[in-house]
Amino acid sequence: RQAFPGHAILGEEGGAGGAAPASSSWRWILDPIDGTRGYARGGAHWGPLVSLEHAGVIVVAAMALPVLGRTYAAIKGRGCHRDGVRCRVGAKATWAEATVSLGELVRLLRSPHAAPATELVRTAACARAYGDLAACAMLLDGLADAWIECGVAVWDLAAPKLLVEEAGGVFTDFEGKATPETGNAIAASPALHAHALAALRS
């Protein structure tokens, strides 16, 4: 607030309280500790998510996994980097070859999308479910080929959206809209994203 007094701030812990007027075209979207449950239990898959939005478009994003010593950052139009090394979303040719990374698995299985999501997992080569920001990191690190998230908040997805896009991936919600606001996300290479989106929309 000291550095950017005219900017709005939206955060998981602080909400929008004390933010700049709604007329501000700049908004910081923050999750100080994504993966709080894992953090509290001594896990490694937690960390901060920070993004800056201008006129409704996310232009800067960063996330970190402090225990693992990893930091990811992106500026719109300049790529996504992990500790200075360019990240690129993998491009497996078919879903049957893909590893899918799952975020909030319990929420996904309790959602109206449980049946098609289960079918996507069943027909993929492999599935991983680290959850929280580590699920997105799997995609950015090339350890997974697609990432599915469900039932979270905008501060959980705002930074990953730009990180994925700048790594060459496609990020949308389950309706195909390129927004983090709905709390649902599919991210992958264009071909795998199209396959997963069609399945979830069915």
Side-chain angles (χ1 to χ4, degrees), residues 51-86:
S51 60
L52 177 61
E53 182 183 72
H54 181 247
V57 177
I58 299 164
V59 294
V60 177
M63 74 178 195
L65 292 161
V67 174
L68 302 179
R70 300 176 189 169
T71 301
Y72 305 78
I75 299 173
K76 189 168 181 62
R78 299 189 189 179
C80 172
H81 297 79
R82 171 186 148 188
D83 302 315
V85 178
R86 186 73 177 258

mmCIF file of all heavy atoms in Angstrom, residues 51-86:
data_model
loop_
_atom_site.group_PDB
_atom_site.id
_atom_site.type_symbol
_atom_site.label_atom_id
_atom_site.label_comp_id
_atom_site.label_asym_id
_atom_site.label_seq_id
_atom_site.Cartn_x
_atom_site.Cartn_y
_atom_site.Cartn_z
ATOM 1 N N SER A 51 -0.264 -11.525 -8.109
ATOM 2 C CA SER A 51 -0.473 -11.073 -9.488
ATOM 3 C C SER A 51 -0.923 -9.624 -9.483
ATOM 4 O O SER A 51 -1.478 -9.123 -8.507
ATOM 5 C CB SER A 51 -1.501 -11.954 -10.205
ATOM 6 O OG SER A 51 -2.742 -11.928 -9.542
ATOM 7 N N LEU A 52 -0.660 -8.966 -10.595
ATOM 8 C CA LEU A 52 -1.061 -7.575 -10.792
ATOM 9 C C LEU A 52 -1.917 -7.495 -12.043
ATOM 10 O O LEU A 52 -1.504 -7.944 -13.117
ATOM 11 C CB LEU A 52 0.165 -6.672 -10.934
ATOM 12 C CG LEU A 52 -0.110 -5.193 -11.223
ATOM 13 C CD1 LEU A 52 -0.909 -4.549 -10.099
ATOM 14 C CD2 LEU A 52 1.207 -4.445 -11.448
ATOM 15 N N GLU A 53 -3.092 -6.925 -11.866
ATOM 16 C CA GLU A 53 -4.068 -6.812 -12.947
ATOM 17 C C GLU A 53 -4.209 -5.348 -13.350
ATOM 18 O O GLU A 53 -4.273 -4.466 -12.485
ATOM 19 C CB GLU A 53 -5.405 -7.359 -12.433
ATOM 20 C CG GLU A 53 -6.541 -7.387 -13.404
ATOM 21 C CD GLU A 53 -7.812 -7.883 -12.715
ATOM 22 O OE1 GLU A 53 -8.380 -7.109 -11.903
ATOM 23 O OE2 GLU A 53 -8.215 -9.020 -12.962
ATOM 24 N N HIS A 54 -4.247 -5.083 -14.646
ATOM 25 C CA HIS A 54 -4.466 -3.727 -15.144
ATOM 26 C C HIS A 54 -5.639 -3.732 -16.112
ATOM 27 O O HIS A 54 -5.621 -4.447 -17.112
ATOM 28 C CB HIS A 54 -3.231 -3.180 -15.850
ATOM 29 C CG HIS A 54 -3.404 -1.787 -16.360
ATOM 30 N ND1 HIS A 54 -3.419 -1.469 -17.700
ATOM 31 C CD2 HIS A 54 -3.621 -0.621 -15.690
ATOM 32 C CE1 HIS A 54 -3.620 -0.180 -17.847
ATOM 33 N NE2 HIS A 54 -3.746 0.362 -16.647
ATOM 34 N N ALA A 55 -6.663 -2.962 -15.781
ATOM 35 C CA ALA A 55 -7.862 -2.862 -16.614
ATOM 36 C C ALA A 55 -8.428 -4.244 -16.929
ATOM 37 O O ALA A 55 -8.833 -4.526 -18.057
ATOM 38 C CB ALA A 55 -7.552 -2.092 -17.888
ATOM 39 N N GLY A 56 -8.436 -5.124 -15.929
ATOM 40 C CA GLY A 56 -9.009 -6.444 -16.084
ATOM 41 C C GLY A 56 -8.102 -7.486 -16.702
ATOM 42 O O GLY A 56 -8.504 -8.636 -16.865
ATOM 43 N N VAL A 57 -6.864 -7.129 -17.022
ATOM 44 C CA VAL A 57 -5.918 -8.057 -17.639
ATOM 45 C C VAL A 57 -4.742 -8.279 -16.692
ATOM 46 O O VAL A 57 -4.124 -7.311 -16.222
ATOM 47 C CB VAL A 57 -5.400 -7.514 -18.983
ATOM 48 C CG1 VAL A 57 -4.355 -8.451 -19.581
ATOM 49 C CG2 VAL A 57 -6.551 -7.310 -19.961
ATOM 50 N N ILE A 58 -4.415 -9.528 -16.399
ATOM 51 C CA ILE A 58 -3.284 -9.838 -15.531
ATOM 52 C C ILE A 58 -2.003 -9.626 -16.321
ATOM 53 O O ILE A 58 -1.799 -10.231 -17.378
ATOM 54 C CB ILE A 58 -3.377 -11.271 -14.992
ATOM 55 C CG1 ILE A 58 -4.662 -11.434 -14.175
ATOM 56 C CG2 ILE A 58 -2.158 -11.609 -14.129
ATOM 57 C CD1 ILE A 58 -5.051 -12.865 -13.919
ATOM 58 N N VAL A 59 -1.131 -8.764 -15.818
ATOM 59 C CA VAL A 59 0.069 -8.386 -16.567
ATOM 60 C C VAL A 59 1.371 -8.843 -15.909
ATOM 61 O O VAL A 59 2.408 -8.899 -16.559
ATOM 62 C CB VAL A 59 0.106 -6.860 -16.811
ATOM 63 C CG1 VAL A 59 -1.032 -6.442 -17.737
ATOM 64 C CG2 VAL A 59 0.046 -6.081 -15.502
ATOM 65 N N VAL A 60 1.331 -9.157 -14.628
ATOM 66 C CA VAL A 60 2.504 -9.648 -13.905
ATOM 67 C C VAL A 60 2.035 -10.729 -12.938
ATOM 68 O O VAL A 60 0.970 -10.592 -12.327
ATOM 69 C CB VAL A 60 3.202 -8.515 -13.112
ATOM 70 C CG1 VAL A 60 4.373 -9.067 -12.310
ATOM 71 C CG2 VAL A 60 3.681 -7.409 -14.038
ATOM 72 N N ALA A 61 2.820 -11.785 -12.798
ATOM 73 C CA ALA A 61 2.445 -12.855 -11.876
ATOM 74 C C ALA A 61 3.685 -13.544 -11.328
ATOM 75 O O ALA A 61 4.719 -13.611 -12.006
ATOM 76 C CB ALA A 61 1.562 -13.892 -12.580
ATOM 77 N N ALA A 62 3.563 -14.042 -10.108
ATOM 78 C CA ALA A 62 4.655 -14.810 -9.514
ATOM 79 C C ALA A 62 4.093 -15.797 -8.503
ATOM 80 O O ALA A 62 3.041 -15.559 -7.906
ATOM 81 C CB ALA A 62 5.659 -13.890 -8.825
ATOM 82 N N MET A 63 4.786 -16.902 -8.337
ATOM 83 C CA MET A 63 4.461 -17.857 -7.277
ATOM 84 C C MET A 63 5.753 -18.534 -6.859
ATOM 85 O O MET A 63 6.731 -18.565 -7.608
ATOM 86 C CB MET A 63 3.417 -18.877 -7.721
ATOM 87 C CG MET A 63 3.879 -19.948 -8.666
ATOM 88 S SD MET A 63 2.525 -21.107 -9.040
ATOM 89 C CE MET A 63 3.468 -22.469 -9.756
ATOM 90 N N ALA A 64 5.748 -19.066 -5.641
ATOM 91 C CA ALA A 64 6.953 -19.712 -5.136
ATOM 92 C C ALA A 64 6.600 -20.926 -4.299
ATOM 93 O O ALA A 64 5.542 -20.985 -3.670
ATOM 94 C CB ALA A 64 7.773 -18.733 -4.298
ATOM 95 N N LEU A 65 7.503 -21.894 -4.315
ATOM 96 C CA LEU A 65 7.466 -23.057 -3.419
ATOM 97 C C LEU A 65 8.729 -22.961 -2.567
ATOM 98 O O LEU A 65 9.776 -23.511 -2.915
ATOM 99 C CB LEU A 65 7.427 -24.354 -4.226
ATOM 100 C CG LEU A 65 6.137 -24.602 -5.003
ATOM 101 C CD1 LEU A 65 6.349 -25.625 -6.101
ATOM 102 C CD2 LEU A 65 5.041 -25.069 -4.050
ATOM 103 N N PRO A 66 8.672 -22.230 -1.443
ATOM 104 C CA PRO A 66 9.879 -21.934 -0.661
ATOM 105 C C PRO A 66 10.640 -23.166 -0.178
ATOM 106 O O PRO A 66 11.874 -23.176 -0.197
ATOM 107 C CB PRO A 66 9.347 -21.108 0.515
ATOM 108 C CG PRO A 66 8.072 -20.515 0.013
ATOM 109 C CD PRO A 66 7.488 -21.543 -0.893
ATOM 110 N N VAL A 67 9.922 -24.193 0.259
ATOM 111 C CA VAL A 67 10.601 -25.382 0.774
ATOM 112 C C VAL A 67 11.424 -26.052 -0.328
ATOM 113 O O VAL A 67 12.510 -26.581 -0.078
ATOM 114 C CB VAL A 67 9.581 -26.379 1.362
ATOM 115 C CG1 VAL A 67 10.257 -27.688 1.759
ATOM 116 C CG2 VAL A 67 8.880 -25.769 2.575
ATOM 117 N N LEU A 68 10.917 -26.008 -1.558
ATOM 118 C CA LEU A 68 11.601 -26.624 -2.687
ATOM 119 C C LEU A 68 12.574 -25.673 -3.376
ATOM 120 O O LEU A 68 13.277 -26.066 -4.311
ATOM 121 C CB LEU A 68 10.567 -27.140 -3.700
ATOM 122 C CG LEU A 68 9.563 -28.154 -3.148
ATOM 123 C CD1 LEU A 68 8.591 -28.573 -4.243
ATOM 124 C CD2 LEU A 68 10.266 -29.367 -2.560
ATOM 125 N N GLY A 69 12.591 -24.398 -2.928
ATOM 126 C CA GLY A 69 13.514 -23.427 -3.491
ATOM 127 C C GLY A 69 13.195 -23.021 -4.914
ATOM 128 O O GLY A 69 14.105 -22.727 -5.696
ATOM 129 N N ARG A 70 11.906 -22.959 -5.260
ATOM 130 C CA ARG A 70 11.512 -22.633 -6.630
ATOM 131 C C ARG A 70 10.694 -21.344 -6.657
ATOM 132 O O ARG A 70 9.810 -21.152 -5.825
ATOM 133 C CB ARG A 70 10.663 -23.754 -7.230
ATOM 134 C CG ARG A 70 11.356 -25.095 -7.298
ATOM 135 C CD ARG A 70 10.409 -26.155 -7.811
ATOM 136 N NE ARG A 70 10.981 -27.491 -7.693
ATOM 137 C CZ ARG A 70 10.281 -28.605 -7.881
ATOM 138 N NH1 ARG A 70 9.003 -28.540 -8.187
ATOM 139 N NH2 ARG A 70 10.875 -29.778 -7.754
ATOM 140 N N THR A 71 10.979 -20.490 -7.625
ATOM 141 C CA THR A 71 10.216 -19.268 -7.837
ATOM 142 C C THR A 71 9.887 -19.141 -9.322
ATOM 143 O O THR A 71 10.762 -19.298 -10.171
ATOM 144 C CB THR A 71 11.002 -18.029 -7.383
ATOM 145 O OG1 THR A 71 11.325 -18.162 -5.997
ATOM 146 C CG2 THR A 71 10.177 -16.763 -7.586
ATOM 147 N N TYR A 72 8.625 -18.874 -9.602
ATOM 148 C CA TYR A 72 8.134 -18.734 -10.966
ATOM 149 C C TYR A 72 7.650 -17.297 -11.163
ATOM 150 O O TYR A 72 7.013 -16.731 -10.270
ATOM 151 C CB TYR A 72 6.967 -19.680 -11.226
ATOM 152 C CG TYR A 72 7.255 -21.135 -10.934
ATOM 153 C CD1 TYR A 72 7.262 -21.613 -9.620
ATOM 154 C CD2 TYR A 72 7.510 -22.039 -11.960
ATOM 155 C CE1 TYR A 72 7.529 -22.949 -9.348
ATOM 156 C CE2 TYR A 72 7.767 -23.380 -11.694
ATOM 157 C CZ TYR A 72 7.775 -23.823 -10.381
ATOM 158 O OH TYR A 72 8.038 -25.148 -10.105
ATOM 159 N N ALA A 73 7.933 -16.722 -12.331
ATOM 160 C CA ALA A 73 7.499 -15.349 -12.584
ATOM 161 C C ALA A 73 7.186 -15.163 -14.059
ATOM 162 O O ALA A 73 7.783 -15.818 -14.925
ATOM 163 C CB ALA A 73 8.580 -14.360 -12.154
ATOM 164 N N ALA A 74 6.251 -14.260 -14.340
ATOM 165 C CA ALA A 74 5.881 -13.970 -15.725
ATOM 166 C C ALA A 74 5.474 -12.515 -15.849
ATOM 167 O O ALA A 74 4.857 -11.947 -14.948
ATOM 168 C CB ALA A 74 4.739 -14.869 -16.178
ATOM 169 N N ILE A 75 5.829 -11.929 -16.970
ATOM 170 C CA ILE A 75 5.348 -10.617 -17.393
ATOM 171 C C ILE A 75 4.654 -10.836 -18.727
ATOM 172 O O ILE A 75 5.173 -11.567 -19.587
ATOM 173 C CB ILE A 75 6.503 -9.612 -17.557
ATOM 174 C CG1 ILE A 75 7.221 -9.419 -16.219
ATOM 175 C CG2 ILE A 75 5.999 -8.288 -18.103
ATOM 176 C CD1 ILE A 75 8.483 -8.580 -16.322
ATOM 177 N N LYS A 76 3.499 -10.258 -18.887
ATOM 178 C CA LYS A 76 2.734 -10.475 -20.111
ATOM 179 C C LYS A 76 3.571 -10.123 -21.337
ATOM 180 O O LYS A 76 4.124 -9.038 -21.443
ATOM 181 C CB LYS A 76 1.445 -9.656 -20.091
ATOM 182 C CG LYS A 76 0.492 -10.000 -21.234
ATOM 183 C CD LYS A 76 -0.871 -9.398 -21.025
ATOM 184 C CE LYS A 76 -1.826 -9.766 -22.152
ATOM 185 N NZ LYS A 76 -2.053 -11.221 -22.224
ATOM 186 N N GLY A 77 3.669 -11.087 -22.248
ATOM 187 C CA GLY A 77 4.424 -10.896 -23.470
ATOM 188 C C GLY A 77 5.904 -11.193 -23.363
ATOM 189 O O GLY A 77 6.623 -11.111 -24.364
ATOM 190 N N ARG A 78 6.382 -11.574 -22.166
ATOM 191 C CA ARG A 78 7.820 -11.802 -21.982
ATOM 192 C C ARG A 78 8.151 -13.207 -21.490
ATOM 193 O O ARG A 78 9.290 -13.480 -21.112
ATOM 194 C CB ARG A 78 8.391 -10.772 -21.015
ATOM 195 C CG ARG A 78 8.248 -9.343 -21.507
ATOM 196 C CD ARG A 78 9.016 -8.398 -20.635
ATOM 197 N NE ARG A 78 8.734 -7.006 -20.951
ATOM 198 C CZ ARG A 78 9.255 -5.971 -20.318
ATOM 199 N NH1 ARG A 78 10.088 -6.177 -19.303
ATOM 200 N NH2 ARG A 78 8.945 -4.741 -20.652
ATOM 201 N N GLY A 79 7.170 -14.088 -21.452
ATOM 202 C CA GLY A 79 7.431 -15.464 -21.085
ATOM 203 C C GLY A 79 7.325 -15.736 -19.600
ATOM 204 O O GLY A 79 7.203 -14.828 -18.775
ATOM 205 N N CYS A 80 7.362 -17.010 -19.262
ATOM 206 C CA CYS A 80 7.331 -17.492 -17.877
ATOM 207 C C CYS A 80 8.678 -18.128 -17.576
ATOM 208 O O CYS A 80 9.215 -18.881 -18.394
ATOM 209 C CB CYS A 80 6.206 -18.515 -17.715
ATOM 210 S SG CYS A 80 6.193 -19.362 -16.122
ATOM 211 N N HIS A 81 9.220 -17.819 -16.396
ATOM 212 C CA HIS A 81 10.527 -18.346 -16.020
ATOM 213 C C HIS A 81 10.498 -18.927 -14.606
ATOM 214 O O HIS A 81 9.818 -18.389 -13.734
ATOM 215 C CB HIS A 81 11.595 -17.254 -16.086
ATOM 216 C CG HIS A 81 11.804 -16.715 -17.464
ATOM 217 N ND1 HIS A 81 10.960 -15.786 -18.039
ATOM 218 C CD2 HIS A 81 12.755 -17.000 -18.383
ATOM 219 C CE1 HIS A 81 11.382 -15.505 -19.258
ATOM 220 N NE2 HIS A 81 12.460 -16.217 -19.499
ATOM 221 N N ARG A 82 11.214 -20.007 -14.432
ATOM 222 C CA ARG A 82 11.442 -20.558 -13.091
ATOM 223 C C ARG A 82 12.906 -20.350 -12.762
ATOM 224 O O ARG A 82 13.783 -20.912 -13.429
ATOM 225 C CB ARG A 82 11.107 -22.046 -13.042
ATOM 226 C CG ARG A 82 11.526 -22.697 -11.732
ATOM 227 C CD ARG A 82 11.327 -24.201 -11.746
ATOM 228 N NE ARG A 82 12.326 -24.842 -10.934
ATOM 229 C CZ ARG A 82 12.519 -26.156 -10.855
ATOM 230 N NH1 ARG A 82 11.772 -26.971 -11.556
ATOM 231 N NH2 ARG A 82 13.468 -26.649 -10.096
ATOM 232 N N ASP A 83 13.157 -19.509 -11.772
ATOM 233 C CA ASP A 83 14.528 -19.205 -11.352
ATOM 234 C C ASP A 83 15.403 -18.826 -12.552
ATOM 235 O O ASP A 83 16.555 -19.257 -12.667
ATOM 236 C CB ASP A 83 15.123 -20.392 -10.592
ATOM 237 C CG ASP A 83 14.294 -20.754 -9.368
ATOM 238 O OD1 ASP A 83 13.897 -19.834 -8.635
ATOM 239 O OD2 ASP A 83 14.023 -21.952 -9.160
ATOM 240 N N GLY A 84 14.829 -18.033 -13.454
ATOM 241 C CA GLY A 84 15.573 -17.525 -14.592
ATOM 242 C C GLY A 84 15.573 -18.409 -15.824
ATOM 243 O O GLY A 84 16.057 -18.008 -16.880
ATOM 244 N N VAL A 85 15.030 -19.621 -15.726
ATOM 245 C CA VAL A 85 15.002 -20.552 -16.858
ATOM 246 C C VAL A 85 13.593 -20.589 -17.443
ATOM 247 O O VAL A 85 12.608 -20.717 -16.709
ATOM 248 C CB VAL A 85 15.437 -21.965 -16.419
ATOM 249 C CG1 VAL A 85 15.350 -22.946 -17.586
ATOM 250 C CG2 VAL A 85 16.848 -21.930 -15.847
ATOM 251 N N ARG A 86 13.474 -20.491 -18.756
ATOM 252 C CA ARG A 86 12.183 -20.419 -19.431
ATOM 253 C C ARG A 86 11.367 -21.691 -19.190
ATOM 254 O O ARG A 86 11.878 -22.804 -19.298
ATOM 255 C CB ARG A 86 12.395 -20.211 -20.933
ATOM 256 C CG ARG A 86 11.126 -19.964 -21.742
ATOM 257 C CD ARG A 86 10.596 -18.573 -21.477
ATOM 258 N NE ARG A 86 9.425 -18.268 -22.265
ATOM 259 C CZ ARG A 86 9.426 -17.524 -23.365
ATOM 260 N NH1 ARG A 86 10.571 -17.024 -23.818
ATOM 261 N NH2 ARG A 86 8.321 -17.272 -24.011
#
